[in-house]
Amino acid sequence: MPIPKPEQSGARLTASVTPRSKLPEVGTTIFTVMSALAQAHGAINLSQGFPDFDPDPALLERVAYWMGAGKNQYPPMAGVPALREAIAAKLARCYGLAVDPETEITVTAGATQALFSAIHALVHPGDEVILFEPAYDSYAPAVRLAGGMVRYVPLLPPTYTPDWGTFDRCFSARTRLVVVNTPHNPTGAIWREADWAALAERLDGSDAMVLADEVYEHIVFDGARHESVLRQPGLAGRALAVFSFGKTFHVTGWKIGYVVGAAPLMAEFRRVHQFDVFTVSHAEQWALADYLAEPAHYEGLAAFYQQKRDRLRGWLTQAGFTLLPAQGTYFQLAHHPDFRHEPDTAFVRWLTETVGVAAIPVSAFYHDHRDDGVIRFCFAKRDETLDAAGQRLVAGCGRKDKEA
């Protein structure tokens, strides 16, 4: 039987007031813009950071099992105890850290919610927050909505190491929070022990805290080790660390992550979390608790993605791109010498509309839209997707001058 259509009265919603925007300069995210452009032009989408392949069927089976077992109502606010215990066991295995699952772990509705809630828990009006740029685009709006003020410190290309001289000029008694992202989106850079030691030295004796975005913790290449803030004795006690099951298990649409931190910081985080999302999808939490019992499910991730990184790098090299180091994440930065005089936004639009491959302009990750001519490709894709994109790039990036 066809579903009846609603009555079409012709009435339309018309705003009778104009709200005063709290984020007047913020528009639609570049990720949404480029994905929509890719769809409109039939381009292969290497812009937005999500896999185009399914997760392990064993994980999906556990979700179905727990839904059938009745785990369909509200779970505890901080997360299912079995999952928090599994996370604690994983932290002990990965970082040699003993964490209390009752008071020091909270399951969240993805990492973006975790970051937003953490910033609102820790930042008061007038506080200053240091962000390293290029920076993921959700940090600064969350700071401003909390009443904080952002101070920007550049990461220096091509290795994107912190500019400690600028940091020292920005750091003051008003600094409440420093946000660190490692492995880093969009650059693929990773923090080493020396970077953390430099930060610990500067924060020693202050009241400043650290918010560590570590969602790509298991995607670190070439034998390097992920140096979590939780490994750092001088920083772990003043930090909240954010992690993502979506990135680790190829389920970005589930929007499940977690936060780890000492009990006093976690208590403040939960004050906000309970009124933000309150809790997170129930059956998926039980499924993840089961799935974490096998460490191979996350310990093989670096090798899995390194093969994809190298596959894309081969194609980009053939297409004439100059590649920047990619130490972690599932992103590759590149620039093309033939297009160095164009804005990166114009270049990615041309790639999408004409060549048929979508990427992200790195200028979108700077508050002042600094343009170094660098763009970001995502290689969290099936091999056949990467090959198809690579063939288009090889065929297309040499013909622009002829068309112009």
Side-chain angles (χ1 to χ4, degrees):
M1 178 181 296
I3 299 174
K5 295 182 179 180
E7 293 295 327
Q8 299 294 322
S9 66
R12 302 294 295 265
L13 284 174
T14 303
S16 58
V17 295
T18 301
R20 185 161 59 96
S21 177
K22 298 181 77 172
L23 295 171
E25 75 287 0
V26 173
T28 305
T29 70
I30 189 65
F31 313 107
T32 300
V33 170
M34 293 309 301
S35 287
L37 192 66
Q39 185 173 15
H41 291 274
I44 297 171
N45 190 356
L46 303 188
S47 60
Q48 195 167 0
F50 60 84
D52 70 344
F53 47 85
D54 290 328
D56 185 351
L59 178 57
L60 302 182
E61 183 278 325
R62 299 315 296 163
V63 176
Y65 171 84
W66 287 111
M67 285 183 171
K71 302 300 184 183
N72 300 301
Q73 309 307 326
Y74 291 128
M77 178 268 287
V80 168
L83 179 54
R84 285 183 279 140
E85 290 165 6
I87 292 169
K90 175 178 175 292
L91 293 167
R93 180 181 179 89
C94 293
Y95 307 125
L97 186 68
V99 176
D100 183 351
E102 183 62 30
T103 62
E104 296 178 333
I105 299 171
T106 301
V107 180
T108 63
T112 301
Q113 180 256 310
L115 293 162
F116 187 91
S117 295
I119 288 169
H120 279 260
L122 302 179
V123 176
H124 294 254
D127 287 345
E128 294 186 357
V129 177
I130 291 179
L131 302 182
F132 294 95
E133 276 197 315
Y136 185 62
D137 66 348
S138 80
Y139 303 154
V143 172
R144 291 198 293 271
L145 288 171
M149 294 178 287
V150 178
R151 303 295 300 273
Y152 293 100
V153 172
L155 297 169
L156 301 174
T159 57
Y160 292 97
T161 53
D163 181 347
W164 292 114
T166 301
F167 184 98
D168 292 339
R169 291 189 291 274
C170 290
F171 186 74
S172 72
R174 296 184 298 277
T175 304
R176 180 63 50 219
L177 190 66
V178 179
V179 180
V180 175
N181 175 206
T182 182
H184 185 263
N185 178 16
T187 69
I190 60 174
W191 272 41
R192 310 285 184 170
E193 285 190 349
D195 300 308
W196 286 117
L199 181 61
E201 180 182 0
R202 287 162 168 80
L203 268 54
D204 185 38
S206 76
D207 293 328
M209 293 167 283
V210 177
L211 178 58
D213 179 351
E214 302 185 23
V215 299
Y216 299 99
E217 61 172 328
H218 296 298
I219 311 177
V220 179
F221 305 130
D222 304 314
R225 186 179 81 163
H226 171 56
E227 298 297 341
S228 172
V229 71
L230 301 175
R231 292 188 193 273
Q232 316 307 316
L235 295 172
R238 62 169 79 223
L240 288 175
V242 175
F243 303 92
S244 167
F245 288 121
K247 299 295 192 296
T248 300
F249 295 139
H250 321 307
V251 287
T252 60
W254 287 14
K255 298 296 294 178
I256 301 181
Y258 57 98
V259 179
V260 180
L265 281 77
M266 189 58 65
E268 291 305 314
F269 177 85
R270 289 179 180 178
R271 291 180 199 273
V272 175
H273 169 79
Q274 67 183 338
F275 296 117
D276 188 355
V277 298
F278 177 62
T279 193
V280 180
S281 183
H282 198 170
E284 283 90 340
Q285 290 194 53
W286 283 96
L288 288 164
D290 291 345
Y291 200 67
L292 282 175
E294 177 47 72
H297 289 148
Y298 53 83
E299 290 180 343
L301 201 62
F304 174 79
Y305 275 122
Q306 184 164 329
Q307 174 269 329
K308 293 182 178 297
R309 178 200 68 173
D310 294 347
R311 194 181 198 98
L312 179 62
R313 285 172 68 89
W315 283 113
L316 292 173
T317 299
Q318 288 186 56
F321 285 87
T322 300
L323 308 182
L324 280 71
Q327 300 171 317
T329 76
Y330 44 53
F331 302 114
Q332 173 66 57
L333 295 193
H335 64 86
H336 201 295
D338 292 346
F339 305 93
R340 62 187 179 276
H341 300 303
E342 291 191 34
D344 61 355
T345 51
F347 183 31
V348 296
R349 178 173 285 275
W350 179 82
L351 279 177
T352 305
E353 295 177 348
T354 305
V355 177
V357 178
I360 294 288
V362 172
S363 63
F365 296 88
Y366 287 95
H367 75 285
D368 59 358
H369 305 292
R370 166 179 165 170
D371 185 353
D372 294 322
V374 178
I375 63 176
R376 190 197 79 174
F377 294 95
C378 174
F379 52 83
K381 309 297 177 183
R382 293 172 294 138
D383 287 352
E384 50 265 43
T385 302
L386 297 175
D387 290 344
Q391 290 162 7
R392 291 186 181 187
L393 290 167
V394 169
C397 285
R399 71 167 189 260
K400 188 181 181 208
D401 290 340
K402 296 176 184 178
E403 292 182 351

